[in-house]
Amino acid sequence: MPELRGDALSLKAALEGPEVVPENRPAATDLGVLTRLLGNAPCAAMMLQREVLLALLSQPDLQHDVRFALRMVADVATERVAVIAMDGDLGGRLAWGAMGALGLAGLRVPTVLVATPVPDAAAAQAAIQRVLDTSNARYKGAFVLQPVAGPSTTLYALESAGGDEWVDALAKSDRPAYAVVDGWLLVSSNLAALQKLAQADAARRGHATGAPTWAEPLEGMAAVQLWLDLARSDKVARDAIATWSMAQLFLNGGNSQAVREQLNLVRTWIDAFAPFGQARAALDRRGPRTELVLDLGLSGSAGSVRMPAP
């Protein structure tokens, strides 16, 4: 059921089931520490109950590698899991194939951070080590964790014992890493972003800070909650499209008509949603009823942007 409110659009849909969506329940841990650690770094954020991961694992048509990855996350997660995307200075780069040979730095992409509350730091570190051991056994790898000193805690970066795994082709700052900070396990797609977060947090300690915009949409009881800064995501997507187009030009001798049409379609959708400023969504379940609520623009909030007049 759509509802148009000046500079905002609200959509709501309800259906019976599905069982993959668990019942609503209040969170046992607040986001105070996480908001202090991340500040305004996120351009997108999602919070989901651990039961969502377990329900997805029960689906019969999951690919084997996807099932394995979800199981590893579920084994480390506690009550809920936050998935955060960070852009700008905290973003990273993704390079593959001949990009390095061509002198391309790689595709600028947001850093992905997975966070979960952990009451026991030693137990969290042991869980990460079990995941690493299981992955090494499954894929015949030799990955290890290298300690890296931080301002207030030790960070652990991924590398290999033999120096011949894919991770060894990356600069140390671009390698996946994790840390346990004040009751939260933080797993980052690159070490540099985690180091910057740790340094900024050390500087902020003892100073009062307001709640960032992304926090409130993630503090409800719904099984899945999402917040997205559409303006910042617009820039991220445009940069990604431009870099991808350049890579295709060098690697394939030019974009095909089909590729150009697909990129133009993506740009059209980006242009359509970016003026709303922000988006938030929640997927929850009460008894047999599942409800999806999507708000674009968040009318009346500071982050709302009015759609341009035709």
Side-chain angles (χ1 to χ4, degrees), residues 212-290:
T213 307
W214 59 268
E216 189 272 332
L218 270 60
E219 290 182 326
M221 297 191 297
V224 180
Q225 298 165 98
L226 174 70
W227 171 87
L228 182 65
D229 186 319
L230 294 170
R232 288 167 62 184
S233 299
D234 170 67
K235 185 179 185 306
V236 169
R238 285 183 170 276
D239 288 345
I241 290 173
T243 306
W244 175 256
S245 298
M246 183 178 297
Q248 291 296 304
L249 184 64
F250 281 104
L251 298 176
N252 298 331
N255 288 330
S256 68
Q257 179 66 28
V259 171
R260 287 197 298 272
E261 290 177 354
Q262 290 172 355
L263 292 177
N264 287 334
L265 179 60
V266 172
R267 290 191 185 99
T268 299
W269 279 105
I270 291 172
D271 291 341
F273 284 104
F276 281 109
Q278 297 183 41
R280 61 192 295 176
L283 182 65
D284 58 19
R285 183 161 173 252
R286 297 178 177 86
R289 182 184 176 89
T290 296

Side-chain angles (χ1 to χ4, degrees), residues 117-139:
V118 287
D120 188 321
Q125 292 171 338
I128 288 287
Q129 188 60 53
R130 286 196 304 272
V131 167
L132 193 62
D133 293 341
T134 303
S135 299
N136 282 336
R138 178 182 177 91
Y139 296 107

Side-chain angles (χ1 to χ4, degrees), residues 17-306:
E19 296 298 327
V20 71
V21 180
E23 292 275 355
N24 287 7
R25 64 178 178 82
T29 307
D30 66 39
L31 297 181
V33 170
L34 196 60
T35 57
R36 190 199 74 211
L37 289 168
L38 301 183
N40 292 313
C43 61
M46 178 175 65
M47 184 73 74
L48 63 157
Q49 295 180 18
R50 182 175 180 269
E51 284 80 0
V52 174
L53 299 177
L54 299 179
L56 289 173
L57 284 171
S58 67
Q59 303 305 301
D61 55 349
L62 273 183
Q63 294 183 354
H64 293 303
D65 289 344
V66 174
R67 186 182 302 277
F68 179 77
L70 288 175
R71 188 176 302 280
M72 295 301 97
V73 175
D75 285 348
V76 175
T78 53
E79 55 160 329
R80 54 181 176 163
V81 179
V83 181
I84 309 291
M86 301 179 293
D87 59 348
D89 291 341
L90 289 172
R93 289 187 180 272
L94 178 65
W96 68 93
M99 279 191 173
L102 293 170
L104 298 176
L107 180 70
R108 290 188 63 86
V109 294
T111 291
V112 177
L113 182 83
V114 178
T116 186
V118 287
D120 188 321
Q125 292 171 338
I128 288 287
Q129 188 60 53
R130 286 196 304 272
V131 167
L132 193 62
D133 293 341
T134 303
S135 299
N136 282 336
R138 178 182 177 91
Y139 296 107
K140 296 180 173 57
F143 293 102
V144 295
L145 293 166
Q146 180 65 37
V148 179
S152 58
T153 189
T154 301
L155 288 62
Y156 296 88
L158 187 68
E159 60 181 46
S160 77
D164 56 355
E165 298 283 359
W166 61 267
V167 72
D168 300 300
L170 302 174
K172 189 171 183 178
S173 60
D174 292 332
R175 297 175 183 178
Y178 88 90
V180 179
V181 183
D182 292 349
W184 281 84
L185 171 63
L186 310 174
V187 181
S188 172
S189 60
N190 68 80
L191 173 63
L194 203 56
Q195 289 175 314
K196 291 175 182 178
L197 286 175
Q199 291 164 0
D201 179 57
R204 279 195 297 263
R205 285 178 181 266
H207 299 279
T209 57
T213 307
W214 59 268
E216 189 272 332
L218 270 60
E219 290 182 326
M221 297 191 297
V224 180
Q225 298 165 98
L226 174 70
W227 171 87
L228 182 65
D229 186 319
L230 294 170
R232 288 167 62 184
S233 299
D234 170 67
K235 185 179 185 306
V236 169
R238 285 183 170 276
D239 288 345
I241 290 173
T243 306
W244 175 256
S245 298
M246 183 178 297
Q248 291 296 304
L249 184 64
F250 281 104
L251 298 176
N252 298 331
N255 288 330
S256 68
Q257 179 66 28
V259 171
R260 287 197 298 272
E261 290 177 354
Q262 290 172 355
L263 292 177
N264 287 334
L265 179 60
V266 172
R267 290 191 185 99
T268 299
W269 279 105
I270 291 172
D271 291 341
F273 284 104
F276 281 109
Q278 297 183 41
R280 61 192 295 176
L283 182 65
D284 58 19
R285 183 161 173 252
R286 297 178 177 86
R289 182 184 176 89
T290 296
E291 186 173 84
L292 171 65
V293 178
L294 172 64
D295 287 306
L296 297 171
L298 310 182
S299 182
S301 72
S304 183
V305 177
R306 183 171 296 278

